[in-house]
Amino acid sequence: MENTLSERLSGQTAVVTGASSGIGQSVAMALARAGANVVINYGTRREPAEQMAVDLTKEGRQAMTFQADVSREDQVARMFQAAIARFGTVHILVNNAGIQKDSPVVSMSLADWQKVIDINLTGQFLCAREAAREFLRRGVQPEISSAAGKIICISSVHEIIPWANHANYAASKGGVLLLMKTLAQELAPHKIRVNSIAPGAVKTAINRSAWSTPEGREGMMKLIPYGRLGEPGDIAAAAVWLAGDDSDYVNGTTIFVDGGMTLYPGFTSGG
């Protein structure tokens, strides 16, 4: 099926978790503008999610919002049921919802450890399981896509880079790495592709304190060989590509969108 670049995802439906702000918002908008129907998941931020849906509708796109805690099995199931009831099926899942609760390990509470694991890792599992069940039920629609379904996990450079004072976050993203690869291995025979995008330093509200001052920006630039901070749109562009047939032979891999942060720039001068 041939589409123009702007409509390459026409006829497909995408669920984007944590889509009311930051990277998730940018991804959801980009998928919609590429032709997909979009389910905008949010946890607590109803107003920006609903405003996104209104804005997309004004552009002639199809969008709905759904409040769900991705760490809750029952809520995830209801979200997918609502998406299927509205749009008939789901073709794309972007597992984006994530949180940070940072502290040194010696003072990290069990509650903060567990909450981050629950949202960042268990949430990705629960959503991927629901998506895979729908992909398997429906099978390939060759007039829509070469794949039966696409799962895109939003990970982090910290799936491979240790991060002191962020043990829960780094552990959750390390888990996402092998969750993604295992799902990709298991589901590939069914024409389901699973990949990750690992952002580096991206200008979002979650890390505003690190980039909003000259001192913070200067410190971050030492970690980024390419010499600029990422924008949410950098991640969104990668997500649109992974969701489309141009990436049909890409499966079980992480795309690092990080300006070279994983090149370990501290070793440029010999470490």
Side-chain angles (χ1 to χ4, degrees):
M1 180 179 182
E2 292 186 6
N3 292 312
T4 64
L5 189 62
S6 62
E7 299 294 330
R8 70 178 105 175
L9 301 179
S10 180
Q12 301 190 52
T13 295
V15 173
V16 184
T17 67
S20 61
S21 64
I23 288 172
Q25 181 182 56
S26 186
V27 168
M29 297 289 283
L31 292 173
R33 288 166 177 162
N37 310 315
V38 175
V39 179
I40 302 164
N41 162 256
Y42 66 96
T44 58
R45 303 182 74 246
R46 176 186 296 272
E47 288 188 6
E50 292 186 342
Q51 186 60 53
M52 280 179 62
V54 169
D55 292 343
L56 288 171
T57 300
K58 289 179 178 177
E59 294 182 18
R61 307 302 180 177
Q62 297 292 318
M64 64 174 281
T65 63
F66 197 93
Q67 182 178 26
D69 178 343
V70 297
S71 71
R72 295 283 301 275
E73 184 177 26
D74 58 336
Q75 294 184 29
V76 169
R78 285 198 295 271
M79 177 170 63
F80 276 83
Q81 289 163 6
I84 293 165
R86 170 71 182 273
F87 296 118
T89 187
V90 172
H91 304 86
I92 302 158
L93 166 66
V94 181
N95 260 331
N96 170 74
I99 61 170
Q100 288 181 222
K101 289 183 173 293
D102 309 327
S103 72
V105 67
V106 294
S107 56
M108 183 176 290
S109 69
L110 178 58
D112 282 354
W113 166 271
Q114 195 64 60
K115 186 65 173 177
V116 171
I117 298 297
D118 286 348
I119 297 291
N120 295 12
L121 182 55
T122 303
Q124 293 219 16
F125 158 72
L126 290 171
C127 292
R129 187 181 66 177
E130 288 301 312
R133 286 171 172 171
E134 174 60 13
F135 301 160
L136 290 169
R137 181 201 67 78
R138 173 180 36 75
V140 177
Q141 296 174 298
E143 72 281 7
I144 298 292
S145 175
S146 298
K150 286 83 55 150
I151 297 172
I152 302 168
C153 302
I154 303 299
S155 184
S156 165
V157 292
H158 296 294
E159 71 172 41
I160 61 170
I161 299 177
W163 200 13
N165 302 315
H166 302 76
N168 47 5
Y169 184 84
S172 72
K173 296 303 184 177
V176 167
L177 169 63
L178 278 178
L179 173 65
M180 176 275 290
K181 286 185 175 292
T182 300
L183 293 176
Q185 183 189 70
E186 181 175 335
L187 297 172
H190 304 284
K191 300 291 285 185
I192 297 169
R193 296 193 292 113
V194 189
N195 293 286
S196 286
I197 300 171
V202 177
K203 292 170 65 177
T204 63
I206 198 171
N207 61 6
R208 183 180 300 277
S209 61
W211 56 261
S212 59
T213 66
E215 296 80 9
R217 288 177 62 86
E218 182 180 355
M220 294 186 78
M221 287 303 101
K222 295 177 182 178
L223 302 175
I224 307 171
Y226 199 58
R228 74 166 174 90
L229 291 170
E231 300 285 348
D234 294 318
I235 313 306
V240 170
W241 182 71
L242 282 175
D245 280 355
D246 286 346
S247 60
D248 188 58
Y249 204 50
V250 179
N251 191 39
T253 196
T254 298
I255 297 177
F256 289 91
V257 184
D258 66 352
M261 184 176 283
T262 44
L263 299 175
Y264 297 94
F267 282 84
T268 299
S269 58

